[in-house]
């Protein structure tokens, strides 16, 4: 009995726990090594379909690092830095030997400090690894109560369009839109190289850089390989979410990128450099396939810089690039949604009865539509679970929250707080949206919906457009918002943005409009102008059209029922309006019926028509093709008074 008691641990001798075998580590460091294991590729690493890769893992790693070193090469020294994979905070002697490389075109003559040091490359890190880097090393980075990474973008909390430059050379002089109304501000090749050298030297001076190799465009036939070199984990995680994430097999065979971004946003440009107007400069060189960012840490510059690139590359392949939302019904009917801020584009394109292809950037190819991106970039100001449940639920581990304010102890975000900026944002992978269609592709669109928030209250809730009218209103890119009371302005302010994204287009707006009309004609798509703004008077006297009515209108467009309605033309704009829509009061379909003062209605209608006409003067002298027929056709579709 005594022996039994001792065996059960009830005796006086020391008890030994023999419930598990001893660990396979002799030191804490060895134990930490056991904690992590290398994951296997999600798909076989083949150099060709069904083949076996001829490269060993070590050779593949070396080639990968040589490619990164070449990207970071200084053009004056013609050598890249010594790059080594891994975090410099983790000292491992063996990794330097196994995973080190230097790109060198000619023997190094001028030795510099930067060429003698190692630049540690943190390559395509996972969100968990990037969280660790951000929270450890980047001040202002925290995990929120829902698991998102909250971070700050520094002094710039939005894009800097006046500091964006494009190299004007022999080709871009002929291909791009320059001059009045254009977003393209020129710089020369020499100035670009000065800024590139400044950015590369800054990145090479750091102990570590983050490198993302990813894709643009879900259409495999027109996929673009992009490399993003940055100094912040925040930027790396942002682009991890916003670009298409490669599989392990795709990454192993990634090769040379089609385009490279050098994000040295923490370092300013030299104000004394030609073409510089501030300490910020975002420079694109289409011939070199490179973009340089200096003096701004706002991550949206990378996203929209790549969108501008697609606005250049895709039309050259006869593919239309679009600043739009896109969804698809259960029967495969696709709709495109265009609209400026405040028009309801996000709300209306997010429909639980339809699949989301994408929320912002798309391509229309010969086979259908494809999302350019791998994520969503949503506004967060005044976000609530009730208004935007999908966005609310997407803000979890892996999501980047920019410039939000949170409670210090609980880390709960206050989305109504604009202490840092009004432009608070969330960047998350598209698969965080429950009804996202993966892969993000669909057939040819059936409907093209142009959204306008008309605060003048004179546009109909919905109008059917012919092709010329679709081009006219697409080029106009109209909405009207109400100025703040602090300005002392009470009248609505008209806003026009060509192609509903003037800041990002590279070629003349009529180029994109002509391509849109051609694809709509070829594939039988119908154009619609939907007013989500005011009815019964302008802002201040009328009332905003109920969202429930707008949803009924959109549903009727999707189902095809609206095409069966009887239509009649309005005066001035010549828009075709339906006589009736189920669930929508018939009297609001003609805006004149809702105004008690018919004279005021006609006066306001004339005023808006004049604003359209004045805005369109920028585009009247552009010739499409060998003659001016199409331009004249578009102009004829405008208001008549």
């Amino acid at each position: 009995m005594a022996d039994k008691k001792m065996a059960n641990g009830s005796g006086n001798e020391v008890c030994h726990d023999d419930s598990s075998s001893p660990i396979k580590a002799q030191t804490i460091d060895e134990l930490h090594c056991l904690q992590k294991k290398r994951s296997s590729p999600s798909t076989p690493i083949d150099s060709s379909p069904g083949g076996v890769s001829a490269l060993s893992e070590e050779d593949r790693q070396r080639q990968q690092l040589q490619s990164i070193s070449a990207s970071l090469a200084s053009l004056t020294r013609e050598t890249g830095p010594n790059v080594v994979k891994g975090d410099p905070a983790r000292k491992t002697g063996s990794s330097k030997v196994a995973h080190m490389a230097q790109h060198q075109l000619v023997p190094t003559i001028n030795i510099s400090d930067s060429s003698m040091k190692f630049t540690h490359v943190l390559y395509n890190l996972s969100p968990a690894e990037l969280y660790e880097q951000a929270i450890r090393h980047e001040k202002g980075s925290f995990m929120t109560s829902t698991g998102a990474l909250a971070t700050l973008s520094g002094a710039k909390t939005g894009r800097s369009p006046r500091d964006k430059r494009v190299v004007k050379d022999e080709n871009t002089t002929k291909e791009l839109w320059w001059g009045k109304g254009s977003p393209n501000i020129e710089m020369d090749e020499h100035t670009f190289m000065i800024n590139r050298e400044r950015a590369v030297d800054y990145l090479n001076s750091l102990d570590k850089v983050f490198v993302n190799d990813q894709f643009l465009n879900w259409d495999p036939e027109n996929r673009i390989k992009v490399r993003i070199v940055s100094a912040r984990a925040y930027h790396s995680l942002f682009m991890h979410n916003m670009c298409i994430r490669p599989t392990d097999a795709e990454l192993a065979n990634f090769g040379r990128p089609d385009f490279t971004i050098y994000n040295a946003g923490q370092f300013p440009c030299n104000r004394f450099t030609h073409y510089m107007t501030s300490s910020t400069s975002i420079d694109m060189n289409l011939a070199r396939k490179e973009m340089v960012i200096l003096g701004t840490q706002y991550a949206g510059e990378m996203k929209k810089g790549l969108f501008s690139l697609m606005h250049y590359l895709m039309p050259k392949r006869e593919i239309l690039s679009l600043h739009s939302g896109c969804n698809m019904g259960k029967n495969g009917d696709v709709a495109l949604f265009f609209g400026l801020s405040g028009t309801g584009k996000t709300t209306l394109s997010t429909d639980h009865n339809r699949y989301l292809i994408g929320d912002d950037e798309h391509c229309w190819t010969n086979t259908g539509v494809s999302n350019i991106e791998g994520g969503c970039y949503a506004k967060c100001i005044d976000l609530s679970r009730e208004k935007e449940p999908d966005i609310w639920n997407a803000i979890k581990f892996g999501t980047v929250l920019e410039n939000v304010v949170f409670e210090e102890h609980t880390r709960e975000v206050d989305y109504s707080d604009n202490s840092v900026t009004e432009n608070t944002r969330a960047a998350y992978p598209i698969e965080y949206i429950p009804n996202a269609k993966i892969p993000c592709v669909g057939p040819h669109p059936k409907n093209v919906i142009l959204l306008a928030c008309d605060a003048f209250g004179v546009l109909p809730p919905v109008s059917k457009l012919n092709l010329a009218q679709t081009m006219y209103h697409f080029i106009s890119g109209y909405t009207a918002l109400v100025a703040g009371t602090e300005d002392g302005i009470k009248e609505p302010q008209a806003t026009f943005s060509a192609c509903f994204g003037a800041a990002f287009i590279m070629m003349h707006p009529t180029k994109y409009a002509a391509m849109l009309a051609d694809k709509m004609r070829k594939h039988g798509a119908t154009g619609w102008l939907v007013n989500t703004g005011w009815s019964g008077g302008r802002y201040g006297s009328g009332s905003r059209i109920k969202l429930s009515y707008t949803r009924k209108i959109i549903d009727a467009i999707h189902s095809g029922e609206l095409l069966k309605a009887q239509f009649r033309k309005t005066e001035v704009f010549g828009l075709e309006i339906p006589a009736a829509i189920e669930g929508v009061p018939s009297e609001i379909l003609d805006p004149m019926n809702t105004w008690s003062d018919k004279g005021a209605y006609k006066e306001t209608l004339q005023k808006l028509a004049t604003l359209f006409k004045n805005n369109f003067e920028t585009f009247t002298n552009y010739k499409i093709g060998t003659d001016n027929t199409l331009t004249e056709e578009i102009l004829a579709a405008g208001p008549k008074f």
Side-chain angles (χ1 to χ4, degrees), residues 211-491:
V211 177
N212 291 42
D213 280 350
Q214 295 182 253
F215 300 117
L216 298 177
N217 199 352
W218 283 83
D219 173 15
E221 296 297 316
N222 294 287
R223 194 165 64 174
I224 303 297
K225 298 186 292 184
V226 292
R227 171 168 292 165
I228 303 100
V229 185
S230 59
R232 292 192 62 181
Y234 147 50
H235 291 149
S236 185
L237 181 57
F238 178 91
M239 294 307 281
H240 170 89
N241 290 347
M242 294 311 303
C243 294
I244 299 166
R245 293 158 289 284
T247 64
D248 290 338
E250 289 171 335
L251 201 57
N253 298 298
F254 190 83
R256 190 173 183 176
D258 299 315
F259 193 82
T260 302
I261 293 179
Y262 300 98
N263 188 341
Q266 291 164 290
F267 197 62
C269 67
N270 186 338
R271 292 169 184 254
F272 290 100
T273 306
H274 192 36
Y275 297 103
M276 300 300 103
T277 53
S278 75
S279 61
T280 298
S281 193
I282 303 101
D283 311 323
M284 184 173 288
N285 189 325
L286 294 169
R288 288 188 57 84
K289 303 175 183 177
E290 292 177 338
M291 178 177 171
V292 170
I293 299 174
L294 291 164
T296 173
Q297 297 179 64
Y298 181 66
E301 295 289 8
M302 295 182 289
K303 166 187 159 67
K304 291 304 186 185
L306 292 177
F307 191 31
S308 293
L309 170 73
M310 296 297 277
H311 271 312
Y312 172 74
L313 293 178
M314 293 299 104
K316 290 167 73 71
R317 302 183 186 186
E318 297 303 316
I319 295 169
L320 177 59
S321 47
L322 299 164
H323 188 211
S324 68
C326 183
N327 65 24
M328 186 179 82
K330 300 293 194 296
N331 296 322
D333 58 297
V334 170
L336 293 172
F337 292 81
F338 296 89
L340 302 180
S341 179
T343 58
K345 181 182 74 169
T346 302
T347 301
L348 295 171
S349 61
T350 304
D351 187 331
H352 291 286
N353 296 314
R354 296 174 67 83
Y355 299 112
L356 179 69
I357 292 176
D359 75 327
D360 196 43
E361 303 175 9
H362 294 88
C363 286
W364 190 346
T365 70
N366 291 329
T367 57
V369 290
S370 58
N371 191 348
I372 289 173
E373 301 181 297
C376 303
Y377 193 35
K379 291 181 179 177
C380 288
I381 195 68
D382 295 324
L383 179 69
S384 69
R385 190 194 299 270
E386 295 70 33
K387 288 194 298 184
E388 300 285 357
D390 285 345
I391 296 174
W392 179 276
N393 293 327
I395 299 176
K396 56 186 179 181
F397 183 82
T399 297
V400 176
L401 277 175
E402 285 181 329
N403 302 313
V404 298
V405 177
F406 51 84
E407 203 281 323
E408 185 177 16
H409 176 61
T410 64
R411 298 289 198 265
E412 291 183 4
V413 178
D414 181 357
Y415 292 108
S416 65
D417 195 322
N418 61 358
S419 298
V420 179
T421 179
E422 191 85 13
N423 189 33
T424 53
R425 294 270 184 166
Y428 48 86
I430 193 166
E431 56 264 31
Y432 282 15
I433 299 297
N435 62 329
K437 185 182 180 300
I438 308 295
C440 303
V441 295
H444 294 290
K446 182 179 176 183
N447 292 292
V448 174
I449 301 169
L450 313 183
L451 301 169
C453 176
D454 178 30
F456 290 96
V458 294
L459 289 182
V462 61
S463 317
K464 186 174 70 169
L465 305 175
N466 60 34
L467 287 178
Q469 288 175 322
T470 302
M471 286 190 284
Y472 182 89
H473 287 278
F474 177 70
I475 292 171
S476 296
Y478 163 73
T479 194
L481 304 174
V482 179
T485 53
E486 67 275 13
D487 297 328
I489 301 171
K490 296 179 181 179
E491 287 197 3

Side-chain angles (χ1 to χ4, degrees), residues 26 42 73 78 120 170 184 294 367 460 482 494 509 540:
Q26 301 299 315
S42 56
E78 296 186 329
H120 289 256
E170 186 178 350
N184 302 316
L294 291 164
T367 57
V482 179

